[in-house]
Amino acid sequence: MLHLLWLIPALPFAGAFVLIVFGPRLPKRAVAIIGPGVIAVAGVITILIAISFLRTPPPNHAYTQELWTWFDVGGFHPHIGLYLDALSLLMTLVVTFVGFLIHWYSTEFMDGDEGYSRFFAYMNLFVAAMLMLLLGDNLLLLFLGWEGVGLCSYLLIGFWYQDWANCVAARKAFIVTRVGDVAMTLGLLLLFTHLGTLDIQDLMHRALTQWPVGSSLAVWAGFLLLGGAVGKSAQLPLQTWLPDAMAGPTPTSALIHAATMVTAGVYLIARTHVLFSLAPAAQTAVAVVGIATLILAGFAALTQWDLKRILAYSTVSQIGYMFLALGVGAWSAALFHFMTHAFFKALLFLGAGIVINACHHEHSIFKMGGLRKQLPVAFWTFLIAGCSLAGLPLITAGFYSKGLIIYESRAAANGSTTLWTLAVIGVLLTSLYTFRMIFVTFFGEPKTHVEHKPGYSMKIPCIVLAVLSVIGGFVETPRFLGDAHFFTDFLHTTLPAVIPGSAGMSELGSELWVTLAFVVGLVVSYYLYMVNPALVEAITAPALSKALHRFWFSDWGMDWLYDHLFVRPVVWFAHVDRRDFIDGFYNGCAALSRGIYRGLRTTETGRVRWYAAGIVFGSIVFVAIVLLV
Amino acid sequence: MHVLFYIAAAVAIFATLMMLTRLNAVHALLYLIVSLLAVAIVFFTIGAPFMAALEVIIYAGAIMVLFVFVVMLLNLGKRQVAQEKAWQRPGMWPGPVILAIILIVEVAFLVGRPGGAAVGTQAIGPKQVGIALFGPYLIGVELASFLLLGALVGAYHLGVRKQEKLEKRNDKHTHESGAAAGGDFVRAGADRPAGTP
Amino acid sequence: MFALGLTGLLVRRNLMLMLMSIEVMLNAAGLAFVVAGARWMQPDGQIMFIFILSSAAAEVAVGLALVLQLYHHHKSLDADAISEMRG
């Protein structure tokens, strides 16, 4: 069964190819079948492989399938090879499953759009690249998938390219992630130069044997890879592209910017965890980045009025949680949160899509309202996902995954109380903005008339994801609540267990604090947005809070900062270089040759006698040479 | 013998010089024929009687006659004399003369180095030439015949012109179109003012 | 004599006279060959002259035919008028 591994990325590639080449000529039904269909088949194969993997695990809990040698230059010969272990299997399952649901949803969401086949071609290409990233057995192949998802993100954000703002957003996303990609390339080069290979397992082994803990090479490599992960996963300081990326269609936001692409950074760090455990400085940096992003994005989400932007900042914040977990060494906790986050964030975006579609593409939550009665399926699934995001105790998956991370941020050897406190504050913020979003959108007086109710293609994926958002957490429960640890057991075949430190607080205590934060957030937002909305105006009226509001709204001024720091100097230089003095050299060469041509042209008179004179002259010269030499 | 050689050589050079400077094409041709005849005498004096005969028969006889025919055909006339006057400016002489002088000097230098032997002590008659031609130089003979055949065919082909149009034109308007078309060599140039090409 | 022919080629503008100058040059070359053959008492120089003669004949035939064509085309024998391959 495992030998069918290659089909998993190959099928979406084939689907993308067919849709790119034949897409416009195919009828819409065919596109709607091919697009989600290849993902569905890939998902089925993944499930079968998973079953086989779990029942009869291959030796060392890892399966490698080498397809062919990519190239062989100077002793460097990366393979096109697929590597399956618990980590990649888990992520592949999530990507194909959630991906399939989102594709199914899009068959109805994108109905009526004239770029229908183009959309599915890009989505398939994206899933193919993501699977390549996840399943690649060497870092070069991973990088191939990395760049591929970056490309598809660009294509899909700018999907409605006739609108200039979308193109700008796509360009911004690509450039900002490119900065991260440069760091990652440097990291790959460093790793290859010093360790001689990019094959991941080989690399980790060599790093373990050749580099001592804390060696500067490992630290540099770790920081550079972190740079790449930060770019792709939209963490500080490269998080500015994700809120603008909401210009793309909602299924894109659901798939790429919630469930899959933005978690590529998490995957990268988890894959190269050996490197990070050899470089404690880098690992601490991961945790710091995570916690800072968490808080920053939480505040930013609190002030947004665009439904999708709230969700974008929420994604940034939740990935901060994952980075935090990676930073303290709680590898499986990070991936647990990844899985549950994929479920509920994708669901939130799909629900947002239903809502936006229904309200004539109105994005502002303050112009919606009272949709509870009119879009019941959307409301209930959105509510379940929101509760999972905020961490409603005991019955939502988010509670378990987030609680685990928060506990580990204190209990792990690399953890600290500061991290724990800030993470709990993050829960408070999450709860606040989530319930603000839900209350304002679904409760209250309806401000927009609902015109377009979702069909079953849009409702069923939402329902499925809602169910998963509830039961997905039960694979890993705290000790005092059943002590299930199927998930971490599964992942411990590839990732090390978290190194316990002194917790200073039991798991129960941590969970209680988290629950408290959740409840406080719920109550406050209920009060502010349901009971006494005027109070919100009163709070934001004074100058200081207005400035603060604006500051948080603009993503803590980072867009302004980058604009002044990077964009303006480059644009200024482009203006100065308008005549392109660097090109002047090449133009000068061309002008010189033109001048020589003009000079030589005068000798071509077309007159026979002139040519005869030339012959005579030449013969004189020759005879003179013969005579004198 | 030597005196004859020098006289003939002087005549040849003088005749060539005159040929260069004549305005009338036919005059120049006649001077050229004189020059060729002088060269034939030179051949005689150095002991190549067969060559002399060939020179007179073929060169002066056939080739120059061909030239004369074409000159007659073109019917250059007074117009052409005036043309040549206009073209033969003294200003255009120095350049080629200098080049030629340099060449002469160089060649003289090259040639004059080793000691010269007596020339013309023995005449090499046609018999010897014939034996050599049909011996080692047989292939050359064949190639020469190829060349002549090719020249024949080429000259014929190049000389062919469409005759029908000419006939029609000559039918309708005899005077002006015939002259204007330039197809009628007899009358061409007769009605144009002198000096124009 | 070769130099004289060369001068004539360069100086005269009339195509016919240019051709005549070329004939002079050919003749001069042949003369040189015959003299050389006579100097070394061998018939080879004369044979060379025969070949030169035949090629001169061929060249004259074709050349004059070309001159006729050119005259027909340009209505003049100006060598400088046929400079269409100007650069």
Side-chain angles (χ1 to χ4, degrees), chain A residues 597 601 604-614 616, chain C residues 6 9-13 18 79-80 82-83 85-87:
Chain A
Y597 159 70
R601 218 171 106 181
E604 257 185 74
T605 56
R607 298 209 296 264
V608 181
R609 296 187 297 145
W610 175 268
Y611 292 159
V616 172
Chain C
L6 194 59
L9 179 64
L10 294 177
V11 166
R12 304 300 296 240
R13 210 158 128 180
M18 283 168 79
D80 287 346
I82 318 165
S83 55
M85 283 182 75
R86 227 184 323 235

Side-chain angles (χ1 to χ4, degrees), chain B residues 18-157:
Chain B
M18 291 304 284
M19 178 203 95
L20 289 186
T21 53
R22 292 305 100 201
L23 296 176
N24 193 334
V26 184
H27 292 179
L29 260 178
L30 293 173
Y31 272 111
L32 182 58
I33 292 178
V34 166
S35 162
L36 292 176
L37 291 174
V39 168
I41 296 179
V42 167
F43 282 159
F44 250 121
T45 54
I46 61 176
F50 186 46
M51 293 305 108
L54 274 182
E55 171 97 5
V56 173
I57 296 171
I58 297 177
Y59 229 122
I63 296 176
M64 285 306 123
V65 167
L66 209 56
F67 262 102
V68 170
F69 278 164
V70 174
V71 168
M72 299 302 177
L73 210 53
L74 292 179
N75 197 27
L76 302 173
K78 278 199 212 69
R79 189 168 61 89
Q80 192 249 342
V81 172
Q83 224 171 42
E84 285 295 329
K85 215 172 187 171
W87 288 345
Q88 288 286 79
R89 295 188 311 277
M92 62 163 55
W93 279 95
V97 166
I98 289 174
L99 286 176
I101 288 177
I102 295 176
L103 255 184
I104 293 175
V105 165
E106 282 183 348
V107 171
F109 204 63
L110 265 177
V111 165
R113 275 185 298 190
V119 170
T121 46
Q122 185 190 357
I124 300 173
K127 194 168 171 193
Q128 272 177 297
V129 173
I131 291 171
L133 261 187
F134 279 92
Y137 287 102
L138 191 59
I139 291 181
V141 174
E142 301 301 323
L143 285 176
S145 63
F146 284 163
L147 179 65
L148 288 171
L149 179 67
L152 179 70
V153 173
Y156 164 76
H157 189 69

